[in-house]
Amino acid sequence: MKFTGLLPIINGFDATGEPLIIAGPCGAESREQVLATASELHKEGISIFRAGVWKPRTKPGGFEGVGEKALPWLKEVKKITGMHIATETANAEHLKLAIRSGVDIVWIGARTVANPFAVQEIADAWKELDCDDKHEIGFLIKNPVNTDIELWIGAFERLYTAGIRRLGAVHRGFSSYGATAYRNPPEWRIPIEFNRRFPEIPLICDPSHISGRRDIVPNIAQQAINLNFSGLMIEVHCNPERALSDSEQQLTPSQLKSLLLSLKRPSNMPNPNIELDGLRNEIDILDDRLIDILAKRMEVSRAIGILKMKNGIPVIQNERYRKLITDRAELASDAGLDPAFIKKILSVIHEESVKLQLDSKLR
């Protein structure tokens, strides 16, 4: 696959090392909300305004967008500010309406990317469109909800085969069973591998959907920049507390300004610590994964404690514990780790698991 880039202005870092920023509310809720947010973002120099017109929700009953009537609001943003406008399209009809309304960039969401039939429907709809400027439309493809890089690449191949060349990737994290530190754990190894295979495709991070909380959006944004992502897609609302969807993860325009000012950009100058910084960032990523794994393990321990309580089984199972330690020590040795080190770690984890199970028995 050979790509021509997303748009002339979307080529990743510019000469000053500035990343591309796409910002705007999770959903277009009203004309006033859209224009107020766009006006503030335009003042901060944001050139691409995003807003969901159709909002696919996990469960019915939530805010699913106002639909087609929001498209003129986006068009007004473009006319007043000169910003490019972007919205999500989940099916062929969405795509046709968006392009005919002057949308510059469409993105295909994680749930849609997970469905090859839906992606193919969008690709076929683009081929059938009869408008002169359709080749100028940019497509952003978010990673699928599950950690399947081939499914992500398959979406690109379907659009590419249809004749679409202005393509970019968006990393928005992946669904995970149980509680984690993130709404959608980043699983950085997936976008890193994607970038290794397709370095010519702009790779943008969506820290809002990864975080699920506005207070950790800056940290995820910085990690993405450290990993040399081309840009960021960030949800920004003029009044996040009153947002009709995803209020916890949206920033105010002033918070976005602070975030952008705090970002440490990669430098084109030789840096003797660049390798060290890269390795430290890899450690940070692995530590995040360790925390998520430990959280899931403790959740299972709690469930075991409840089952033991219901069935009158003692909390301590000495034979099971001895086998666990012995087996894991052997695995550690095979992996080049000190078995004594692993025994210490497992001992601490087991102690915490016992505490959780005792708590379960008291409920």
Side-chain angles (χ1 to χ4, degrees):
M1 294 187 289
K2 184 176 181 180
F3 303 90
T4 59
L6 199 57
L7 282 172
I9 63 166
I10 303 182
N11 293 316
F13 293 95
D14 62 22
T16 64
E18 294 297 318
L20 169 75
I21 305 297
I22 302 172
C26 170
E29 301 165 358
S30 68
R31 175 178 177 273
E32 292 72 24
Q33 169 248 4
V34 166
L35 293 179
T37 306
S39 176
E40 291 299 314
L41 291 174
H42 179 58
K43 291 176 185 176
E44 300 303 331
I46 304 301
S47 58
I48 304 175
F49 180 79
R50 56 139 290 152
V53 172
W54 301 278
K55 300 295 301 175
R57 311 307 295 175
T58 302
K59 295 181 179 180
F63 176 67
E64 297 184 341
V66 301
E68 184 180 354
K69 78 173 186 178
L71 291 172
W73 307 340
L74 300 188
K75 193 171 184 178
E76 194 171 354
V77 166
K78 185 176 182 178
K79 180 179 179 181
I80 294 173
T81 68
M83 301 167 78
H84 293 273
I85 51 175
T87 197
E88 179 176 359
T89 58
N91 57 44
E93 187 62 23
H94 291 170
L95 180 73
K96 293 173 184 177
L97 290 169
I99 290 180
R100 288 167 181 161
S101 296
V103 168
D104 301 294
I105 302 167
V106 297
W107 74 82
I108 302 178
R111 294 176 180 84
T112 307
V113 174
N115 181 351
F117 292 106
V119 176
Q120 189 61 55
E121 179 185 321
I122 291 171
D124 292 341
W126 183 87
K127 283 197 298 185
E128 294 168 3
L129 275 173
D130 184 19
C131 54
D132 295 335
D133 59 353
K134 73 175 187 178
H135 290 279
E136 300 301 313
I137 305 301
F139 281 76
L140 290 172
I141 303 178
K142 292 198 171 187
N143 61 257
V145 291
N146 51 317
T147 54
D148 187 343
I149 192 171
E150 300 303 330
L151 191 58
W152 196 6
I153 292 170
F156 278 88
E157 292 176 341
R158 290 177 186 280
L159 297 187
Y160 186 88
T161 301
I164 298 167
R165 297 293 182 268
R166 298 189 183 278
L167 292 162
V170 178
H171 169 231
R172 48 79 75 196
F174 301 87
S175 294
S176 176
Y177 178 76
T180 72
Y182 308 103
R183 178 180 178 183
N184 296 289
E187 302 290 355
W188 293 107
R189 69 189 187 282
I190 304 294
I192 288 171
E193 173 61 15
F194 182 92
N195 184 245
R196 185 191 69 79
R197 295 197 205 178
F198 303 99
E200 71 278 13
I201 299 179
L203 181 59
I204 296 166
C205 181
D206 177 347
S208 302
H209 278 88
I210 291 174
S211 304
R213 293 164 32 199
R214 67 176 61 87
D215 61 312
I216 57 175
V217 166
N219 179 52
I220 295 297
Q222 184 63 63
Q223 288 187 48
I225 297 304
N226 292 348
L227 290 168
N228 207 34
F229 275 60
S230 299
L232 304 169
M233 176 185 275
I234 302 177
E235 291 191 349
V236 181
H237 193 291
C238 57
N239 191 349
E241 288 75 15
R242 302 185 69 177
L244 300 181
S245 59
D246 292 349
S247 60
E248 298 86 358
Q249 68 191 38
Q250 298 191 69
L251 306 181
T252 64
S254 62
Q255 287 171 333
L256 176 67
K257 179 180 180 180
S258 297
L259 183 156
L260 297 180
L261 289 173
S262 71
L263 284 179
K264 297 176 182 177
R265 272 62 165 183
S267 173
N268 292 325
M269 299 297 290
N271 183 351
N273 293 321
I274 191 75
E275 185 176 359
L276 176 61
D277 290 343
L279 290 171
R280 283 173 172 168
N281 189 67
E282 189 172 348
I283 287 289
D284 291 342
I285 292 168
L286 292 170
D287 285 346
D288 287 348
R289 290 174 62 190
L290 277 174
I291 290 170
D292 282 343
I293 290 170
L294 284 172
K296 291 173 184 175
R297 192 189 192 284
M298 292 307 166
E299 189 175 321
V300 173
S301 292
R302 186 179 291 109
I304 289 173
I306 293 171
L307 282 175
K308 285 179 177 178
M309 177 185 65
K310 290 179 178 178
N311 292 279
I313 300 172
V315 168
I316 301 296
Q317 303 285 310
N318 288 325
E319 186 57 36
R320 158 73 180 167
Y321 177 55
R322 280 193 292 270
K323 188 176 187 307
L324 182 150
I325 292 293
T326 301
D327 291 349
R328 300 305 182 272
E330 290 177 1
L331 284 173
S333 181
D334 292 342
L337 295 171
D338 181 357
F341 168 63
I342 294 302
K343 286 180 180 179
K344 286 181 182 179
I345 292 175
L346 289 175
S347 176
V348 173
I349 292 174
H350 182 259
E351 182 181 346
E352 185 64 23
S353 295
V354 169
K355 287 181 184 178
L356 284 173
Q357 291 186 31
L358 287 172
D359 288 343
S360 298
K361 277 186 168 291
L362 295 174
R363 290 174 185 174

